[in-house]
Amino acid sequence: MLKKTLLSAATLLALAAAAPLAAHEDHACLDDGCTLQSLFAEPEAAGAASGSTIAAKQFGTWGLDTAGMDRSAKPGTDFFRYVSGTWADTTQIPADRSSYGGFAILRDLSEARLRVLVEGYALGDPATGGDSAKIAALYRGFMDEKTVDALGAKPLQPVLAGIRAAKDKEALAGLMGQRGSFYDSFFNLGVSDDQKDPDRYTLYLSQGGLGLGDREMYLRDNFKPQRERYEAYIAQMLQLAGWAKPQENAKAILALETRIADAHWTRAESRNRDKTYNPLDMAAFATTSPGFPWADFFKAAGVEGAGRAVIRQDSAIPKIAAIFADTDVATLQAWQAFHAADNAAPLLSKDFSVAQYEFRDKFLSGQPQQRERWKRGVSFAESAMGEAIGRDYVALYFPPESKAKMDALVANVKAAMGARLDTLAWMSPATKAEAHAKLAGFGLKIGHPDTYRDYSALVVKNGDLFGNAQRAGQFEWDYRRARIGQPVDKGEWGMTPQTVNAYYNSVKNEIVFPAAILQPPFFDPDADPAVNYGGIGGVIGHEIIHGFDDQGRKSDGKGVLRDWWTADDAAKFEVQAAKLGAQYEAYTFAPLPGMHINGRVAMGENIGDLGGLTIALEAYHRSLGGKPAPVIDGFTGDQRFFMGWGQIWRTLWRDDALRQQLVNGTHSPGHIRAFAPLRNIDAWYDAFGIKQGDPLYIAPQDRVRIW
């Protein structure tokens, strides 16, 4: 996963072919693999959708893969194995993946479907052939490996020339502000809905500058091997780029980034919405964070007229500015040269792309093989024109009946949440009234946008892979920065329809479910309702609860960041949240001694799982209309519900990938999510006869009960 939350458009496009993107911090995604892009407006048609379709795999005869169970395992000892043990024993992680499970299976399906689409678009004149010709040019330019290899590092040379020409700090700050030329920055810029004025877009600024991910990778002793290998990778990239003194500069760059890491806020601090909304007039940056040429930076980014920026990590920014001021020009140039080469590597010759894979995927995440080029090509085309492709995906793979059934499921789960609010003994009437108002204001988006993004102004040329990436990066950033101060488009989507994920947007106060996740094992219109409620129902509940988790609860029903809780209610909430965090931090991982889930970083997701399952179960019970649930293949309704949840979290990990997830991810590992929230739900104990003495047993008085 990428570790930055507010990415430059150039970095977004350069790396989309190599890895999924991290979510914007105002969105709470179901899974770390989500790709979020800012999207809206009505374009011309992308071209006729191909008639060739690929069907989704069905799970058993009623929605559950009973053949994948391990019935010798006891649910109270190892619920993951009980639901998915045989699947785990007989499934191999594909060589081009570092982990594998329900999400990856659907992503493979989505990827295969998209390949059929993009390869079906005719190559014509992108200037006159509409979206389909542009997508064809993007994809086929990436697939022309012979030409890419023949060019070597040549496409990168103008970028490097710009770095060599930057002889002073002002010029280097200007490069950091450029959004479409593969340059990187100590400070990330982004444009999103204003958390305290949700009807307007505003400019955000956050900490950046790290190529190794989280600050812990630089500062903790147990990551020394990763730092040593990173230094070697920096030197390798500089050498491939033809930059002088690669070994010497690599040491200096690692030392520089270590200083920046020390100034960074932790992940837990950076997700605290009470601390991350700090508006500052642009003119005041020079005074509050001296040492960095802010005027040059903002002008190069084209945002000098924004008036202000909301700072995410306010105490870190002055420290990073001081580090910039204290670093010599030659080291700053080398730092920029390395990051430019690293950002551009997927679009350059094989020596660049393989070097990046060997470090970022194979060494850091244990992935044995590089992803096939067509998969990277599909990702590249998606990163530039995701909604144009998504429009045709929807035409082929999202029938209207799926939306109708999802509407009913969401209505039932939402009603269950309202009922739960009424029964909460720990919450005061005043806070309950605010909570009900927030729930009533929840927006819902299912499947796809009503209008799609307009790509008519994007210039794409046949046979110009590198140039296409630069122009796409600039196009995306120009689109975003033009929205500063403008009214928010409430119809905007943060994911493409073909994305296998879901999210809650706190500022819009809405839950969003793209078409690609609305298929087995998450949702099957023909499956047993209990399995659907345990699968997609739990997901719906998860996203609703994000509006009431430890950070989502800080916005009201209109999306405004404000405190609507009584002090006593907030204190009671925090006590239960801390208990939940302690539960998750107690889990150990045999291949990784000393590694644990960071309960504060994953808190929102863990609360989402627990609360989401709780209200989904209530919604399932309400859907029965007072009648007993049928028994299917010997399983009761509640058993099928909990097994449906466990099935969607089938996950296998390579050790290095699990380490990366624990350090850089905001979600608990999937195989933990399959059972961890269930331990706090009384009905799970009743359904499977789990008793005191069973390893997963938690005494009733110690179970966490929040929503």
Side-chain angles (χ1 to χ4, degrees):
M1 309 293 171
L2 296 184
K3 290 86 184 174
K4 301 172 184 176
T5 52
L6 294 173
L7 297 170
S8 74
T11 302
L12 183 153
L13 288 165
L15 294 184
L21 296 175
H24 187 287
E25 58 199 87
D26 283 339
H27 297 82
C29 295
L30 181 66
D31 178 72
D32 274 324
C34 60
T35 302
L36 295 184
Q37 303 170 31
S38 300
L39 307 161
F40 66 87
E42 181 74 38
E44 79 273 23
S50 168
S52 176
T53 60
I54 301 174
K57 173 188 174 183
Q58 300 302 117
F59 282 68
T61 58
W62 43 271
L64 196 78
D65 176 24
T66 54
M69 298 175 62
D70 177 1
R71 298 185 190 233
S72 68
K74 294 182 178 180
T77 299
D78 190 338
F79 190 71
F80 176 83
R81 277 209 64 83
Y82 177 71
V83 175
S84 301
T86 299
W87 172 86
D89 292 341
T90 58
T91 300
Q92 295 284 332
I93 302 175
D96 66 348
R97 286 195 176 274
S98 57
S99 63
Y100 197 62
F103 282 92
I105 290 168
L106 283 187
R107 286 177 186 137
D108 284 346
L109 174 64
S110 186
E111 203 168 47
R113 289 170 167 177
L114 296 178
R115 182 187 190 183
V116 173
L117 278 172
V118 299
E119 291 185 352
Y121 296 134
L123 188 65
D125 183 355
T128 59
D131 286 352
S132 60
K134 291 180 180 180
I135 296 166
L138 290 165
Y139 178 73
R140 298 190 190 189
F142 191 95
M143 293 303 295
D144 187 1
E145 190 172 8
K146 182 178 179 180
T147 297
V148 172
D149 284 341
L151 288 171
K154 185 177 179 181
L156 186 63
Q157 294 313 308
V159 178
L160 297 176
I163 299 170
R164 292 188 177 97
K167 302 294 187 182
D168 54 37
K169 300 287 181 71
E170 289 74 19
L172 285 165
L175 293 185
M176 288 187 178
Q178 291 187 30
R179 302 289 94 185
S181 299
F182 300 97
Y183 299 123
D184 215 328
S185 176
F186 285 12
F187 308 100
N188 297 318
L189 291 174
V191 178
S192 191
D193 310 13
D194 191 319
Q195 291 176 304
K196 292 199 174 182
D197 183 10
D199 293 329
R200 296 281 170 182
Y201 292 109
T202 196
L203 179 68
Y204 288 90
L205 183 141
S206 63
Q207 62 192 18
L210 303 183
L212 195 51
D214 191 80
R215 69 191 300 272
E216 303 299 317
M217 300 288 286
Y218 294 85
L219 305 178
R220 284 172 54 176
D221 291 341
N222 57 319
F223 292 120
K224 183 179 178 182
Q226 284 75 15
R227 291 192 292 273
E228 291 175 345
R229 181 66 177 82
Y230 180 50
E231 182 179 320
Y233 173 65
I234 296 172
Q236 182 183 19
M237 275 294 178
L238 290 175
Q239 186 168 11
L240 288 172
W243 200 264
K245 302 178 181 179
Q247 302 291 341
E248 179 181 329
N249 277 314
K251 290 184 181 298
I253 290 168
L254 180 58
L256 170 60
E257 291 192 5
T258 301
R259 293 182 65 194
I260 296 172
D262 191 52
H264 266 220
W265 285 17
T266 65
R267 283 185 177 270
E269 291 169 330
S270 292
R271 65 179 297 272
N272 187 342
R273 300 181 73 213
D274 289 331
K275 305 295 184 183
T276 54
Y277 188 92
N278 305 285
L280 184 68
D281 290 343
M282 311 277 282
F285 273 84
T287 302
T288 61
S289 301
F292 184 77
W294 293 103
D296 298 272
F297 175 71
F298 289 132
K299 183 177 180 180
V303 297
E304 67 273 24
R308 66 162 201 171
V310 176
I311 303 173
R312 292 295 193 188
Q313 302 90 2
D314 58 348
S315 62
I317 302 306
K319 296 176 183 177
I320 298 173
I323 292 169
F324 178 91
D326 191 45
T327 303
D328 62 277
V329 168
T331 298
L332 292 172
Q333 287 177 313
W335 178 89
Q336 191 63 266
F338 160 67
H339 281 278
D342 188 35
N343 289 342
L347 308 172
L348 298 173
S349 54
K350 190 176 297 182
D351 46 358
F352 281 91
S353 65
V354 170
Q356 186 183 74
Y357 152 73
E358 291 280 350
F359 173 65
R360 296 205 176 276
D361 298 325
K362 188 173 183 179
F363 177 77
L364 288 182
S365 296
Q367 180 181 313
Q369 291 182 11
Q370 189 175 24
R371 296 175 73 218
E372 293 180 74
R373 192 165 187 89
W374 73 262
K375 295 180 179 180
R376 291 177 278 145
V378 166
S379 295
F380 174 68
E382 271 199 285
S383 71
M385 298 184 66
E387 281 208 14
I389 301 172
R391 184 172 55 246
D392 285 349
Y393 176 93
V394 166
L396 291 171
Y397 295 111
F398 191 64
E401 55 266 27
S402 290
K403 185 178 188 306
K405 290 200 173 186
M406 274 293 292
D407 283 337
L409 276 167
V410 172
N412 286 346
V413 177
K414 186 176 176 182
M417 179 62 180
R420 289 287 300 178
L421 287 174
D422 289 334
T423 63
L424 293 178
W426 61 269
M427 181 176 278
S428 68
T431 306
K432 280 184 182 180
E434 290 272 14
H436 272 294
K438 180 165 189 176
L439 182 64
F442 259 61
L444 172 65
K445 293 173 179 172
I446 295 176
H448 57 87
D450 293 329
T451 57
Y452 289 88
R453 179 76 179 273
D454 182 358
Y455 296 99
S456 59
L458 172 61
V459 176
V460 176
K461 299 179 181 179
N462 289 326
D464 186 16
L465 173 63
F466 203 82
N468 286 339
Q470 286 180 304
R471 287 185 292 273
Q474 191 64 54
F475 169 81
E476 186 68 26
W477 177 245
D478 287 346
Y479 167 73
R480 293 179 180 183
R481 69 184 179 88
R483 302 189 301 179
I484 297 172
Q486 298 300 308
V488 166
D489 184 333
K490 302 297 185 180
E492 176 186 28
W493 275 57
M495 290 179 179
T496 62
Q498 63 270 29
T499 301
V500 182
N501 220 312
Y503 70 90
Y504 169 73
N505 185 321
S506 62
V507 192
K508 287 187 174 72
N509 192 33
E510 65 181 8
I511 51 178
V512 183
F513 303 93
I517 199 173
L518 302 179
Q519 51 196 338
F522 294 90
F523 173 66
D524 181 348
D526 300 321
D528 165 48
V531 177
N532 273 337
Y533 271 98
I536 199 64
V539 170
I540 294 166
H542 174 102
E543 300 306 339
I544 288 175
I545 293 297
H546 268 314
F548 302 91
D549 67 23
D550 66 314
Q551 299 304 317
R553 72 181 185 87
K554 297 175 181 178
S555 292
D556 65 17
K558 295 182 179 179
V560 177
L561 181 63
R562 71 175 180 88
D563 187 0
W564 48 269
W565 291 60
T566 68
D568 186 53
D569 288 343
K572 291 175 181 176
F573 178 97
E574 293 296 340
V575 168
Q576 291 299 308
K579 282 179 62 176
L580 187 66
Q583 282 184 15
Y584 280 82
E585 289 180 345
Y587 295 122
T588 58
F589 303 89
L592 304 172
M595 296 291 295
H596 297 274
I597 295 167
N598 187 325
R600 291 180 63 201
V601 171
M603 182 65 72
E605 302 302 329
N606 296 337
I607 292 174
D609 284 351
L610 173 56
L613 264 177
T614 301
I615 61 174
L617 179 62
E618 181 154 334
Y620 169 59
H621 289 164
R622 291 162 66 93
S623 75
L624 296 173
K627 299 178 181 179
V631 175
I632 301 178
D633 287 351
F635 298 107
T636 68
D638 280 11
Q639 286 176 330
R640 300 193 305 274
F641 172 88
F642 290 117
M643 292 164 70
W645 171 263
Q647 181 173 255
I648 71 173
W649 294 110
R650 287 178 166 181
T651 313
L652 299 176
W653 295 92
R654 301 191 193 280
D655 291 350
D656 291 322
L658 180 57
R659 180 187 294 108
Q660 289 293 303
Q661 177 67 18
L662 292 172
V663 174
N664 295 314
T666 58
H667 299 73
S668 298
H671 65 290
I672 300 294
R673 298 176 76 175
F675 70 87
L678 311 184
R679 301 178 68 203
N680 295 289
I681 300 176
D682 296 342
W684 178 66
Y685 291 81
D686 297 335
F688 293 98
I690 295 166
K691 307 294 185 185
Q692 186 173 358
D694 289 335
L696 295 181
Y697 179 86
I698 296 176
Q701 67 272 18
D702 295 326
R703 294 171 197 168
V704 176
R705 308 176 194 277
I706 303 179
W707 299 109

